[in-house]
Amino acid sequence: MKAVFAWLARTGFLYVLLCAAIAFFVFAWPAMKDGLAPDRLREDAMGAGELRAALAADYDAARAALARQSQALETQSLAAIDGRIAAARASRGAIDRELAGGGGWLDAVRPSRILARKRLELRGNALNAEIGLLQEARNLAAARDAQTRYPRVPTARSIAAATRTCAMWTARLERFESDNAIRREYRAIVLDERDTLQAGKARECGKRDRWTATRDAALAANRALASARERYDAFTADALENLPDPSANIDNRTVRDIAWMAFVALLGILLAPFAIRTLFYFALAPMVERGRPIRLSGPSATGAVPRAGGGSRPTLSLALGEDEEILVRQGYLQSTPDDATTDHRWVLSWRHLLSSIASGMVFLTRGSGAGKTFGISARDDPFAEIARIDLPDGAALVLQPRALAAIVQPAGSPMPIRSRWRFGTLHAWLTFQFRYLVFHGPGTLVVKGGRGVRVERAESGRRFAQDQLIGFSAETAYSVARSETFPPYLFGREPLFRDRVSDADGGAHGILVLEEAPMAGRRKGVRGGLEGAFDAALKAFGI
């Protein structure tokens, strides 16, 4: 648990340091460098939701200001409106230049820069709407000025009276012109009647024409003013309705949101193995345990079972019987009697040549001689101990040849070694061992193990680490079983499965042979690359 808590503390401390570094260089450093106000630091701590809320408030304020401008512009003069149009266009040009300037590489996720740019875009859009509104207001002011040129408009009655008067003078002039020539000339020369009639007609008809034109112009100005006001109101409504909302396209990618997502991802990465292990422990492992175990042979017809010849020790003395021989692995023959017969044997079994070579059972020393005692010890491994396992006739033991140090067998009758393959069981795939070598008696096996070899009764079932296994009785049931305690597996201190050996008939005759400390005197850890692949292949072939 100490290692687990230490790892959690290191991981948490690293995450805090990363967040602090990001916060400093994104938030504090610009404030120190540019002398920004504290409000900028508060803005940089915003999330995407807070950015949307702030921009929505700015958007509402911009729409309200535009509505107030539309009301104020209705009464402004043409000159004032022209001045405001020039100022608005200059401000819009400055905003365009600022927007075209770009920003830093963190501006896309830094809340204060996002907020500043969106506010600038909002101001630019509001200026576009304001310029359009000013142009419509200018048209309205021009129409209003044109309408004010006609303060007095002749009425229809006045124009009708002027029309009648014009017609009267016109009729009088026509009657004058229709008189006989002598009287007409007399009246024209003596009485000056023609000039009087023509002047009256011109005066009264001109008045009619002027009044009619004034009335038509005033009506046209009124219509132009009404049309300008209608366009102004429609443009105001459209500008307020279609002003782009800057809060509508804010992405969830602010620094705070990225930090939060990184924290969630880190939390998921940290917790995913625990969730998977919990599922495996409580769901997968019980299903696997119920699977059919591996059985390599049935009980011996003679009832013979392997027997341990005492406990393990650093040195073991073996006395040969009549017609017996011993095969000793290189580096394990400690002493031999002078009068013993010795020679060599190339491999343990020509039938299992590759297994013999891979397990190191080659160039063996063979000795014989009734009553001769041979000393067996691991000369190159200070942590290894030796144990003896006797196999009566009919007994069989599944053994990994890597643990074999010596064999005592009848002379001229090599100990039978048979291969057993198992592919159709899940236990073989989980242990990744498909081939098992079974040694059949009569004979004696001398096995080695780091810090000692332990021989136990299989009984109703015993569990152990897979790398501890040296061998087990062939009639026992071999399988995998769930690790005994959950917390060590949850925190990666123990594997999910441990090997299990039990008597097939529930008795107490089968044995299992375990190595006390598998890594004693050896380099700890799993080899990688081609060496690791080669080790896995040897394990699959039971070597």
Side-chain angles (χ1 to χ4, degrees), residues 309-317 329 331-332 334 375-389 399 402-406 445-455 468 470 513-522:
S312 63
R313 56 187 66 88
T315 301
L316 181 66
S317 296
R329 186 181 193 145
Y332 283 85
Q334 186 184 57
I376 308 299
S377 178
R379 301 198 307 265
D380 300 328
D381 189 352
F383 297 95
E385 292 189 6
I386 308 298
R388 171 178 177 170
I389 300 174
L399 184 69
R402 64 171 178 81
L404 194 59
L445 301 176
V446 179
V447 295
K448 63 182 178 69
R451 213 186 65 191
V453 176
R454 182 178 180 84
V455 180
Q468 288 184 278
I470 291 177
V513 185
L514 302 177
E515 189 173 3
E516 293 280 4
M519 300 310 299
R522 287 181 279 174

Side-chain angles (χ1 to χ4, degrees), residues 132-147:
L133 191 63
L134 285 169
Q135 291 172 342
E136 293 297 331
R138 190 183 189 283
N139 296 333
L140 179 61
R144 186 171 58 247
D145 290 348
Q147 194 265 347

